[in-house]
Amino acid sequence: MNGSVKQFLAALIPVLLIGALCALLLTAVDRCTRDRIASNRQQLALKVIKEVLPVDYDNDLFNDRIEISDKTYFTDKVEVFRARYHGNPVGVAFLPVVAKGYKGRIELAVGLSPEGVITGVRVTKQQETEGQGDRIDQRKSDWILGFDGRSLANTPAVDWAVQSDGGNFDQLSGATISPRGVINAVKKTLDFYSINKKRLYN
């Protein structure tokens, strides 16, 4: 091995070591960032679940959830978080339940008691017209609270519509498409639950 090759290797080894260290550092940072993002998402989801499902539970919701894919009732895949207390079911939270809005998709969280009574509905994402369709959002008005306590048993099928369509739900002035979409999505969630209740808790 001549002198020039030795010099080349002597210069190359530190570069390779630095490159390896940088790669390890980037991997560690990426892993930490991904873990932090996942943790933040989990905390946000838990906050919404507590709003739509205000019950006491003692299980780990994120390890006691299932994914539903049923195009008859849901536009997209939906995660069902199952709340239990001492092993007994106390409710479920569906999210995201996607509704069709005037400007696109509206994402909802829907909470149900074991008896199929709505414990809460919240908008988690929407892009509806400001001052009109966006009033479906609980941060804009209390319209969404009109679902609380409703079920298939106490609200006949014909009532699951805005008043202008002969239903029992308040309509938003200048915005009918948004509430129609939300009502339809919530009703379909109830329909799905009524048929699949037993398997949801297994």
Side-chain angles (χ1 to χ4, degrees), residues 95-111:
L95 66 154
V97 173
V98 177
K100 185 178 180 181
Y102 178 71
K103 287 196 169 182
R105 55 190 281 142
I106 299 167
E107 294 184 10
L108 308 167
V110 179

Side-chain angles (χ1 to χ4, degrees), residues 73-74 94 110-112 116-118 147 150-152 155 160 185-196:
Y73 300 96
F74 304 111
F94 292 75
V110 179
L112 301 177
V117 177
I118 295 173
F147 290 100
R150 292 185 182 270
S151 68
L152 296 180
T155 306
W160 288 92
V186 173
K187 170 67 163 52
K188 283 188 174 183
T189 303
L190 285 173
D191 290 337
F192 175 85
Y193 183 82
S194 70
I195 296 170
N196 298 279

